[in-house]
Amino acid sequence: MAAQHRRVRARGTAVGVVAAFVSAALAAGPAAGAVRADDSAPAVPSPPRPTAAPTAPAAPSVPTPSVPTPSVTVPSIKPPSVTVPSVPVPGRGVPAFGAFLASDGRGVARMEQLSRWLGDAELRVGHTYLPGNHWSDIEGDIGFLESWAQWRNARKDRMLVLNVPMQERNEAGVSDDEVRRLLRRGASGEFDHHFRALAERLVELKVPDTVLVLGWEMNGVTYTHRCGPDPESWKKYWNRIVTTMRAVPGQKFRFDFTPSRGRDAVPWTECYPGDDTVDIIGMDSYDQPAGRSFDEQVSEPYGLQTHVDFARAHGKPISYPEWGLFRNGDNPEYMRRMLAWMDKHRPLYNTVTDYCPHGVWQCGANPESSRVYRSVLSGRTHDADPQTTPEPTPETTPDATPVPATPAEPTPPQNCSPLDLGPVVEHWLGGRLCLRIDWWSRTR
């Protein structure tokens, strides 16, 4: 199931909620209901896993004019013969790690700040998300990709991880029946040209080796690209997308199949599209549901141990594109155990989701977990072996106040989620509106 996401990719879904708050604010004057705050997200980007995800209260939506879809007969294509990029399994040394800090250029700037907070640790992985509101988003017509491409190309050993939705209106609460129809249309090739455009865009930006987390958390119910309504069509659609993108000259993409931990709405193994089109087997794993211990997260059906075993059986490296705190609050035991799990099983990369309630640097609500994260990773370079990292002691644990060393922006109030309304509205309001993250509750 998806964690609590605040990402550029989710802007379309948030329009209804934002509209209600902004209307109230505008009616009362520029200062009404406003709290000045920094944005931050680790998106949506296009994100505790119970056996079934409860439905969140429906937010008012902004009417969108319907556009009839033309009837197009798409000829079947024969997949071209391509060489699947080899993915090295990490050896000794520190596996690549980073964080999701924001989808756009602000996330790029925060990478250096987080590195300084971690004692100049080497953050080799940058992570961002494409919005899934419109097909133009998924085609990569997003200005912030240029900033991430520049960051990636500044050093040869860096890695760019990009979450890619498989459908537009990706968080619009589309029904299972419509999802089933969309998956079948995708499997027939109707949407190929959108993914070809994205591949060409990434090659043009000189990031042809981007790791693409395609259709993430497909075993849940949050996204329009979910697998449950028609697993067979979902797998055919995935294979079609990968075949299309690999056919673009100059590409070296790696495709990361990333479910959420646990069974969720459907066992994620039923969605696995095959070894020929999957390079990495990832897992989004947050500290949830409430009361579940780390040992239970390891041993639960389709949990952390199943993930490791499944990847080993298929000869694939693992990854953790999203992980962090959640339903159990500031939980240093989870943080310690999750870091130790990754040191033991050596994923190709991991990126902690660093915003409230999940994060350790941009979220002041988790000071004890922040202290653990910082003490374990502070000063790490990729020449060191994590097995030699000493256990933190009160004498060696650095101050873990989770704020940037030189913050470029004001820190948001605790338990507050800044709303991204755009520069014009924010200038008129005199600051950013801040929505409390506990304005509604989702129980697991």
Side-chain angles (χ1 to χ4, degrees), residues 410-444:
T411 302
Q414 184 171 331
N415 296 325
C416 176
S417 172
L419 302 177
D420 190 354
L421 306 179
V424 176
V425 174
E426 290 168 4
H427 176 75
W428 189 87
L429 290 173
R432 312 198 79 176
L433 288 181
C434 191
L435 175 65
R436 291 184 59 86
I437 63 174
D438 56 354
W439 71 278
W440 60 274
S441 175
R442 290 160 55 186
T443 58
R444 299 288 179 181

Coordinates of all heavy atoms in Angstrom, one line a residue, residues 410-444:
P410 N 12.7 28.1 5.0 CA 12.2 28.0 6.4 C 11.7 26.5 6.6 O 11.2 25.9 5.7 CB 11.0 29.0 6.5 CG 10.7 29.2 5.0 CD 11.9 29.1 4.3
T411 N 11.9 26.0 7.8 CA 11.4 24.7 8.2 C 9.9 24.7 8.5 O 9.5 25.6 9.2 CB 12.2 24.2 9.4 OG1 13.6 24.2 9.1 CG2 11.8 22.8 9.8
P412 N 9.2 23.8 7.9 CA 7.7 23.8 8.2 C 7.4 23.5 9.6 O 8.2 22.8 10.3 CB 7.2 22.7 7.2 CG 8.4 21.8 7.1 CD 9.6 22.7 7.1
P413 N 6.2 23.9 10.1 CA 5.8 23.5 11.5 C 5.7 22.0 11.5 O 5.4 21.3 10.5 CB 4.5 24.2 11.6 CG 4.5 25.3 10.6 CD 5.3 24.8 9.5
Q414 N 5.8 21.5 12.8 CA 5.7 20.0 13.0 C 4.3 19.6 12.5 O 3.3 20.2 12.7 CB 6.0 19.7 14.4 CG 6.0 18.2 14.7 CD 6.4 17.9 16.1 OE1 7.2 18.7 16.7 NE2 5.9 16.8 16.7
N415 N 4.3 18.4 11.9 CA 3.0 17.8 11.5 C 2.3 18.6 10.5 O 1.1 18.6 10.4 CB 2.1 17.5 12.7 CG 2.7 16.5 13.6 OD1 3.3 15.6 13.2 ND2 2.4 16.7 14.9
C416 N 3.1 19.3 9.6 CA 2.5 20.2 8.7 C 3.0 19.9 7.3 O 4.2 19.6 7.1 CB 2.9 21.7 9.0 SG 2.3 22.9 7.8
S417 N 2.1 19.8 6.3 CA 2.4 19.5 4.9 C 2.2 20.7 4.1 O 1.1 21.1 3.8 CB 1.5 18.3 4.4 OG 1.8 18.1 3.1
P418 N 3.3 21.4 3.6 CA 3.1 22.5 2.8 C 2.4 22.2 1.5 O 2.6 21.1 0.9 CB 4.5 23.0 2.5 CG 5.4 22.3 3.6 CD 4.7 21.0 3.9
L419 N 1.6 23.1 1.0 CA 0.8 22.9 -0.3 C 1.5 23.7 -1.4 O 1.8 24.9 -1.2 CB -0.6 23.4 -0.1 CG -1.4 22.7 1.0 CD1 -2.8 23.3 1.1 CD2 -1.5 21.2 0.8
D420 N 1.8 23.1 -2.5 CA 2.4 23.7 -3.6 C 1.4 24.3 -4.5 O 0.8 23.7 -5.3 CB 3.3 22.7 -4.3 CG 4.2 23.4 -5.4 OD1 4.0 24.6 -5.5 OD2 5.0 22.7 -6.0
L421 N 1.1 25.7 -4.3 CA 0.1 26.3 -5.1 C 0.6 27.1 -6.3 O -0.1 27.7 -7.0 CB -0.7 27.3 -4.2 CG -1.2 26.7 -2.9 CD1 -1.9 27.7 -2.1 CD2 -2.2 25.5 -3.2
G422 N 1.9 27.1 -6.4 CA 2.5 27.9 -7.5 C 3.0 29.2 -7.0 O 2.5 29.8 -6.1
P423 N 4.0 29.8 -7.7 CA 4.6 31.1 -7.2 C 3.7 32.3 -7.2 O 3.8 33.1 -6.4 CB 5.8 31.3 -8.2 CG 5.4 30.4 -9.4 CD 4.7 29.3 -8.9
V424 N 2.7 32.3 -8.2 CA 1.9 33.5 -8.2 C 0.9 33.6 -7.0 O 0.8 34.6 -6.3 CB 1.0 33.5 -9.5 CG1 0.1 34.7 -9.6 CG2 2.0 33.6 -10.8
V425 N 0.3 32.4 -6.7 CA -0.7 32.4 -5.6 C 0.1 32.6 -4.3 O -0.3 33.3 -3.4 CB -1.4 31.0 -5.6 CG1 -2.3 30.9 -4.3 CG2 -2.3 30.9 -6.8
E426 N 1.3 31.9 -4.2 CA 2.1 32.0 -2.9 C 2.5 33.5 -2.7 O 2.6 33.9 -1.6 CB 3.2 31.1 -3.0 CG 2.8 29.6 -2.9 CD 3.9 28.6 -3.2 OE1 5.0 29.1 -3.5 OE2 3.6 27.4 -3.2
H427 N 2.9 34.1 -3.8 CA 3.3 35.5 -3.7 C 2.2 36.4 -3.2 O 2.4 37.2 -2.3 CB 3.9 36.0 -5.0 CG 4.2 37.5 -5.0 ND1 5.4 38.0 -4.4 CD2 3.6 38.6 -5.5 CE1 5.5 39.3 -4.5 NE2 4.4 39.7 -5.2
W428 N 1.0 36.2 -3.7 CA -0.2 37.0 -3.3 C -0.5 36.7 -1.9 O -0.9 37.6 -1.1 CB -1.3 36.6 -4.2 CG -2.5 37.6 -4.0 CD1 -2.8 38.8 -4.6 CD2 -3.6 37.3 -3.1 NE1 -3.9 39.3 -4.1 CE2 -4.5 38.4 -3.2 CE3 -3.9 36.3 -2.2 CZ2 -5.6 38.5 -2.4 CZ3 -5.1 36.4 -1.5 CH2 -5.9 37.5 -1.6
L429 N -0.4 35.4 -1.5 CA -0.7 35.1 -0.1 C 0.3 35.5 0.9 O 0.1 35.5 2.1 CB -0.9 33.5 0.0 CG -2.2 32.9 -0.6 CD1 -2.1 31.4 -0.6 CD2 -3.4 33.4 0.0
G430 N 1.5 35.8 0.4 CA 2.6 36.1 1.3 C 3.3 34.9 2.0 O 3.9 35.1 3.0
G431 N 3.1 33.8 1.4 CA 3.7 32.6 1.9 C 3.0 31.4 1.4 O 2.1 31.4 0.6
R432 N 3.4 30.2 2.0 CA 2.8 28.9 1.6 C 1.7 28.5 2.6 O 1.9 28.7 3.8 CB 3.8 27.8 1.4 CG 5.0 28.3 0.6 CD 5.8 27.1 0.2 NE 5.2 26.5 -1.0 CZ 5.7 25.4 -1.6 NH1 6.7 24.9 -1.2 NH2 5.0 25.0 -2.7
L433 N 0.6 28.0 2.1 CA -0.3 27.4 3.0 C 0.2 26.0 3.5 O 0.9 25.3 2.7 CB -1.7 27.2 2.2 CG -2.5 28.4 1.9 CD1 -3.8 28.0 1.2 CD2 -2.8 29.2 3.1
C434 N -0.1 25.7 4.7 CA 0.4 24.5 5.3 C -0.8 23.7 5.8 O -1.6 24.2 6.6 CB 1.3 24.9 6.4 SG 2.3 23.5 7.1
L435 N -0.9 22.5 5.3 CA -2.0 21.6 5.7 C -1.5 20.5 6.7 O -0.5 19.9 6.5 CB -2.6 20.9 4.5 CG -3.7 19.8 4.7 CD1 -4.9 20.5 5.3 CD2 -4.0 19.1 3.4
R436 N -2.2 20.4 7.9 CA -1.8 19.4 8.9 C -1.9 18.1 8.3 O -2.8 17.7 7.6 CB -2.6 19.5 10.1 CG -2.4 20.8 10.9 CD -3.2 20.7 12.2 NE -2.9 19.6 13.0 CZ -1.9 19.6 13.9 NH1 -1.1 20.7 14.1 NH2 -1.6 18.5 14.6
I437 N -0.8 17.2 8.5 CA -0.8 15.9 7.9 C -1.8 15.0 8.5 O -2.1 13.9 8.0 CB 0.6 15.3 8.0 CG1 1.0 15.1 9.4 CG2 1.6 16.1 7.2 CD1 2.3 14.3 9.6
D438 N -2.3 15.3 9.7 CA -3.3 14.4 10.3 C -4.7 14.9 10.1 O -5.6 14.6 10.9 CB -3.0 14.3 11.8 CG -2.9 15.7 12.5 OD1 -3.0 16.7 11.8 OD2 -2.8 15.7 13.7
W439 N -5.0 15.7 9.0 CA -6.3 16.2 8.8 C -7.3 15.1 8.5 O -8.5 15.2 8.7 CB -6.3 17.2 7.7 CG -6.1 16.7 6.3 CD1 -5.0 16.4 5.7 CD2 -7.2 16.4 5.4 NE1 -5.2 15.9 4.5 CE2 -6.5 15.9 4.2 CE3 -8.5 16.5 5.4 CZ2 -7.2 15.5 3.1 CZ3 -9.2 16.1 4.2 CH2 -8.6 15.6 3.1
W440 N -6.8 13.9 8.1 CA -7.7 12.8 8.0 C -6.8 11.6 8.4 O -5.6 11.6 8.4 CB -8.3 12.6 6.6 CG -7.2 12.4 5.5 CD1 -6.6 13.4 4.8 CD2 -6.7 11.2 5.0 NE1 -5.8 12.9 3.9 CE2 -5.8 11.6 4.0 CE3 -7.0 9.9 5.2 CZ2 -5.1 10.6 3.2 CZ3 -6.3 8.9 4.5 CH2 -5.4 9.3 3.5
S441 N -7.5 10.5 8.8 CA -6.8 9.4 9.3 C -7.1 8.2 8.5 O -8.2 7.9 8.2 CB -7.2 9.2 10.8 OG -6.6 8.0 11.3
R442 N -6.0 7.4 8.2 CA -6.2 6.1 7.5 C -5.7 5.1 8.5 O -4.6 5.1 8.9 CB -5.4 6.1 6.3 CG -5.9 7.0 5.2 CD -4.8 7.3 4.2 NE -4.2 6.1 3.6 CZ -3.2 6.1 2.8 NH1 -2.6 7.2 2.4 NH2 -2.7 5.0 2.3
T443 N -6.6 4.2 8.9 CA -6.2 3.1 9.7 C -5.8 1.9 8.9 O -6.3 1.7 7.8 CB -7.3 2.7 10.7 OG1 -8.5 2.4 10.0 CG2 -7.6 3.9 11.6
R444 N -4.9 1.1 9.5 CA -4.5 -0.1 8.7 C -5.1 -1.4 9.4 O -5.1 -1.4 10.6 CB -3.0 -0.2 8.7 CG -2.3 1.0 8.0 CD -2.6 0.9 6.6 NE -2.0 2.1 5.9 CZ -2.1 2.3 4.6 NH1 -2.7 1.4 3.8 NH2 -1.6 3.3 4.0

